[in-house]
Amino acid sequence: MSDPPRPTQEAEAEAAAPARRRDWLRVFKVLGPGLVTGAADDDPSGIATYSQTGAQFGYGQLWTALYQIPLLLAVQEACARIGAVTGQGLAGVIKQHYSRSVVIVTVLLVVAANTINIGADIGAVAEAAALVVDLPVWLLAVATALAVLLLEVFVSYRIYAKFLKWLALALLAYPATALIIDQPWPEILYATFVPHIEFTASFLFIITGVFGTSISPYMFFWQASQEVEEELDHGVPSDEAGRPRLPEGYLADMRLDVTLGMVAAELVQWFIIMTTASVLFRNGVNDIQTAADAARALEPLVQSFPNAGQAAKLIFAAGVIGLGLLAIPVLAGSAAYALSEALGWKEGLSNRLGDARGFYGVIAVSTLIGLGLNFVGINPMKALVFTAVFNGIAAVPLLFVVARINSRSDILGAARGGPWSRLFVWLTFGVMALSAAGLFYTLAAQR
């Protein structure tokens, strides 16, 4: 009896195609809070800080994008897991297991940091819009704040975010620019893998901002709270103690979502620093004062266009506006989650205005205070960098609390952070604490 015929390579490939499609469909299906948080991580404050870094120090801080990946991943995965396992936001967990003073300090830190960040982002969106619309910046700032408020209160954030993600694709202009111009690739690769540190106030100021805009307080609270919202959306049941009964593979999908979002955020950071270093620093532009200055980094991409300068401004404005309108609700929302959980108010973007007045009230007040900060005469681009530095300092005590919770089996049970998770979350706390301490030391030494 002869052996059955062996399948051809074409038949094997055809049989494997559905499995590959299922793998890709699974990837797209799990994209959620991690992807949105990663996109919001490259908010206008991030764009301005990375641009200033490249303009001021060239390729000197490219390495931060690489070495921040495991730190950012560890922290955001821990925050997501805390929210998913406990069924509570980060502030709710802190309130349940720590003293009142710890709750007050953490909530005040995130609310203060977020409100300042909201103000800087509103100003950045307005200034970017002014590059392409002939209207006063103050009027565009007011319009931005009102638009964000109306959309966040009356439109589902998930629907709203889907549209804004298309505007965020304007950030692809940075890798496109970096790849079409002549680059010193050996120098770039060396700067990416070999850390360069200068013990000067200006270097430590910017690097604290780079850490602060990448590993930001609002991301911790937003990530945890959005995991809770995801469980509510998917109807995840609870046990007798009120903790979610997570289905098999739920945490694995969450980790995939977080990983894709955070790696994408760091890749964008790397390209922004590289592009601004190549276009601005190498041409003697070492200080970014306006949105127009930052937009000049994209001119090589459109140099064959009749009006390359205006085209670069348009691309830059699309990215800043899209990410600003994506990030401002995240900032206001995470402040509202933190304060509402601390005070026991009903919270969540899945609730209507009438059902969660306190929650939406915090969103409105923080957005309007942020808007008011734009009328005190601060340069919008400088405000973005100062905001990133403030976030870098405020994140230190918050990371300490996250690291403690991540290590506690009495809170997380079997989902307590493993050895690598605990190591990298504590390492993130140490790195950011040293960065902030070094900045304070050099500033004090200059007096």
Side-chain angles (χ1 to χ4, degrees):
M1 184 175 179
S2 61
D3 293 333
R6 298 184 63 184
T8 63
Q9 289 184 339
E10 291 80 3
E12 289 177 345
E14 187 175 343
R20 287 196 297 270
R21 281 196 294 271
R22 284 195 299 271
D23 290 340
W24 278 110
L25 286 173
R26 175 177 174 266
V27 170
F28 284 113
K29 186 178 178 181
V30 302
L31 294 179
L35 182 66
V36 172
T37 307
D41 192 28
D42 291 316
D43 69 336
S45 178
I47 295 172
T49 304
Y50 305 145
S51 297
Q52 184 63 47
T53 299
Q56 190 170 351
F57 295 102
Y59 306 122
Q61 293 187 11
L62 266 181
W63 59 273
T64 58
L66 175 65
Y67 291 101
Q68 277 178 168
I69 291 176
L71 307 182
L72 181 59
L73 271 177
V75 172
Q76 291 306 122
E77 188 276 337
C79 292
R81 182 164 28 84
I82 290 167
V85 170
T86 64
Q88 297 182 86
L90 199 53
V93 175
I94 296 170
K95 180 183 178 181
Q96 184 176 347
H97 296 280
Y98 291 90
S99 68
R100 181 181 176 83
S101 59
V102 174
V103 176
I104 291 172
V105 169
T106 53
V107 169
L108 287 179
L109 275 173
V110 74
V111 171
N114 286 14
T115 303
I116 294 170
N117 209 339
I118 288 168
D121 281 359
I122 288 174
V125 169
E127 192 180 13
L131 293 175
V132 294
V133 179
D134 188 19
L135 289 172
V137 172
W138 70 265
L139 181 59
L140 292 169
V142 172
T144 299
L146 292 178
V148 167
L149 274 178
L150 292 172
L151 289 167
E152 190 160 16
V153 173
F154 296 109
V155 178
S156 165
Y157 182 73
R158 295 179 185 281
I159 296 173
Y160 165 61
K162 285 178 182 178
F163 293 102
L164 293 178
K165 287 174 190 175
W166 291 105
L167 282 179
L169 289 177
L171 282 178
L172 294 176
Y174 286 97
T177 304
L179 295 173
I180 66 169
I181 61 178
D182 187 29
Q183 296 279 21
W185 289 108
E187 182 183 352
I188 288 170
L189 292 175
Y190 182 86
T192 300
F193 288 96
V194 181
H196 169 78
I197 299 176
E198 298 175 18
F199 292 98
T200 63
S202 58
F203 188 92
L204 292 173
F205 180 85
I206 289 293
I207 206 168
T208 302
V210 168
F211 283 126
T213 198
S214 301
I215 307 173
S216 295
Y218 73 86
M219 294 172 61
F220 313 158
F221 288 81
W222 177 262
Q223 186 83 59
S225 294
Q226 285 301 290
E227 294 299 335
V228 179
E229 295 266 9
E230 283 281 300
E231 291 173 355
L232 293 173
D233 285 349
H234 288 87
V236 175
S238 300
D239 60 18
E240 297 78 9
R243 294 167 72 92
R245 294 183 183 273
L246 299 179
E248 185 179 354
Y250 190 93
L251 291 180
D253 287 347
M254 175 273 290
R255 291 188 180 100
L256 177 60
D257 175 35
V258 171
T259 299
L260 291 173
M262 299 311 126
V263 170
E266 291 304 313
L267 190 61
V268 169
Q269 172 185 332
W270 187 74
F271 273 112
I272 292 176
I273 294 175
M274 188 212 301
T275 304
T276 51
S278 300
V279 179
L280 301 180
F281 178 82
R282 288 167 68 186
N283 288 290
V285 179
N286 304 124
D287 189 25
I288 295 175
Q289 293 286 339
T290 66
D293 291 340
R296 288 174 58 188
L298 298 176
E299 286 189 10
L301 180 65
V302 291
Q303 59 185 353
S304 62
F305 286 30
N307 192 343
Q310 190 60 27
K313 289 177 183 178
L314 181 61
I315 296 171
F316 176 83
V320 170
I321 292 169
L323 284 163
L325 295 179
L326 185 71
I328 293 168
V330 172
L331 289 158
S334 60
Y337 278 117
L339 195 56
S340 298
E341 288 164 2
L343 297 176
W345 297 344
K346 191 172 184 178
E347 92 281 345
L349 293 171
S350 56
N351 291 302
R352 295 181 178 180
L353 175 60
D355 298 327
R357 294 182 185 277
F359 175 79
Y360 284 107
V362 175
I363 288 176
V365 170
S366 59
T367 302
L368 293 174
I369 292 175
L371 171 64
L373 295 177
N374 286 277
F375 295 88
V376 296
I378 301 175
N379 180 295
M381 296 303 291
K382 296 296 183 185
L384 291 170
V385 179
F386 277 101
T387 297
V389 174
F390 184 84
N391 277 328
I393 296 168
V396 175
L398 295 173
L399 281 167
F400 179 82
V401 176
V402 171
R404 289 290 301 273
I405 295 172
N406 186 48
S407 303
R408 290 182 57 172
S409 56
D410 61 322
I411 298 177
L412 300 176
R416 171 196 183 215
W420 287 108
S421 172
R422 299 198 302 274
L423 171 65
F424 277 102
V425 175
W426 279 112
L427 182 61
T428 307
F429 163 74
V431 167
M432 295 191 71
L434 284 173
S435 174
L439 173 60
F440 285 130
Y441 178 78
T442 52
L443 290 173
Q446 286 186 342
R447 291 186 175 181

